[in-house]
Amino acid sequence: MTMHRICLLVLFAFIGFRGYAQDKNFYIFLCFGQSNMEGNAKIEPQDTVDVNSRFQVMEAVDCPDLGRTKGNWYTAVPPLCRCKTGLTPADYFGRELVANLPEKVRVGVINVAIGGCKIELFDKDHYESYVTTVPGWMKNFISQYDGNPYARLVDMAKLAQKDGVIKGILLHQGESNTNDTLWTQKVKVVYDNLMNDLDLKPRKVPLLAGELVNADQDGKCASMNRIIATLPQTIKNAHVISSAGCTDSADNLHFNAAGYRELGKRYAAEMLTLLGYKPN
């Protein structure tokens, strides 16, 4: 056999291996934002049981106490953001998806979020100047992502793309940008950067943005929901997830555990519809 043929066989074997390694029935979702995506509510016993192994989380930081290592997949038992964060919308988003998708489909989430941050933290070209203005406690959380949460999200997403297909992006952010009329444009910058850095097609990767604690719960930042509602005017494939009726905690800034469960299911219902499935 000639060396040319040997090289071709090796190349075809490598391509075949790559094709086999990437499971097109492994649906991956990127999650980012501030404290309501990070997870503010205490994780309750019901949240840690009966988590289907088809629902996975890629750990974005090292969590030795949880037996988790950055860049690896685990069954999505909370916490899903960092090692000591709380319940998030991503928890019941994933649970609801696997309950409604065919058995052959798995769901994976990657959650990178920082409580209290403005959307500017995820602008890869300007985040450094923003970080100089934040308090020390926030810098400590940011340092867990080597000082650049956006870069960590992209790095983890690139690893995940070897295993599956990115199907959507979940955003919950806005409290720290309340009444910022440029917020939708700032979100578009982050979304466009993700599309470019991960070689994704916007028409195939929707952005689902959740409302903040609603006025019906006396949400302190509920006025921001008027701006969030306009996001589809700026990003064609953006979809707004209502928070109406989702219960909150005493601070009127964060959802409580029941509120996160309901909001997560609403994210899932929208995503299932976009995927062509009818939620039960």
Side-chain angles (χ1 to χ4, degrees):
M1 185 178 293
T2 67
M3 184 59 67
H4 177 69
R5 288 184 178 179
I6 292 173
C7 291
L8 283 176
L9 285 172
V10 170
L11 176 62
F12 291 150
F14 177 73
I15 293 172
F17 173 77
R18 295 268 303 180
Y20 175 78
Q22 186 189 52
D23 181 359
K24 298 199 180 295
N25 287 315
F26 188 16
Y27 294 178
I28 295 163
F29 299 90
L30 310 183
C31 310
F32 75 101
Q34 57 181 109
S35 55
N36 274 314
M37 183 58 79
E38 181 183 68
N40 186 263
K42 184 179 179 180
I43 298 164
E44 298 177 357
Q46 64 178 294
D47 305 315
T48 64
V49 297
D50 300 325
V51 181
N52 194 312
S53 61
R54 289 167 49 221
F55 177 29
Q56 303 265 299
V57 60
M58 177 178 278
E59 195 62 61
V61 297
D62 288 323
C63 292
D65 289 347
L66 298 177
R68 297 179 181 178
T69 304
K70 178 181 70 178
N72 290 318
W73 292 107
Y74 302 91
T75 299
V77 176
L80 300 190
C81 188
R82 295 189 307 283
C83 313
K84 296 181 180 180
T85 51
L87 199 67
T88 82
D91 283 276
Y92 282 80
F93 167 78
R95 288 186 179 214
E96 192 75 1
L97 281 188
V98 297
N100 285 274
L101 290 170
E103 285 286 332
K104 67 181 179 180
V105 176
R106 294 181 296 143
V107 171
V109 295
I110 304 171
N111 189 336
V112 174
I114 295 285
C117 78
K118 289 187 174 183
I119 193 65
E120 283 84 343
L121 180 60
F122 292 92
D123 182 339
K124 70 176 186 178
D125 296 317
H126 300 100
Y127 78 95
E128 289 177 302
S129 60
Y130 169 67
V131 170
T132 64
T133 70
V134 306
W137 60 263
M138 192 187 299
K139 288 179 181 175
N140 289 336
F141 292 142
I142 293 171
S143 69
Q144 294 185 45
Y145 300 113
D146 291 332
N148 189 346
Y150 175 84
R152 179 63 57 83
L153 181 62
V154 169
D155 288 346
M156 296 298 98
K158 287 180 177 178
L159 279 178
Q161 284 178 307
K162 297 177 181 179
D163 302 320
V165 180
I166 295 173
K167 290 287 189 177
I169 300 171
L170 278 59
L171 168 67
H172 200 286
Q173 194 279 331
E175 293 88 351
S176 294
N177 290 86
T178 296
N179 299 325
D180 179 356
T181 57
L182 296 178
W183 181 82
T184 58
Q185 294 294 334
K186 294 173 182 179
V187 172
K188 187 176 188 302
V189 168
V190 180
Y191 178 77
D192 288 347
N193 283 339
L194 286 170
M195 296 299 103
N196 291 328
D197 291 341
L198 297 171
D199 194 24
L200 299 171
K201 294 179 172 58
R203 62 184 176 82
K204 291 186 175 182
V205 183
L207 174 67
L208 278 57
E211 289 183 338
L212 311 187
V213 172
N214 205 275
D216 64 20
Q217 304 293 315
D218 297 320
K220 289 183 179 178
C221 300
S223 61
M224 184 62 181
N225 288 338
R226 292 194 296 270
I227 293 174
I228 294 173
T230 68
L231 189 59
Q233 298 173 21
T234 303
I235 301 173
K236 290 182 179 179
N237 204 7
H239 305 266
V240 176
I241 310 303
S242 171
S243 68
C246 293
T247 51
D248 70 334
S249 63
D251 64 9
N252 296 130
L253 288 171
H254 300 99
F255 299 96
N256 60 18
Y260 283 124
R261 294 182 195 111
E262 175 60 26
L263 187 62
K265 290 176 182 178
R266 294 181 186 183
Y267 273 97
E270 181 67 23
M271 194 66 230
L272 285 165
T273 300
L274 294 170
L275 290 169
Y277 295 91
K278 185 176 181 180
N280 292 330

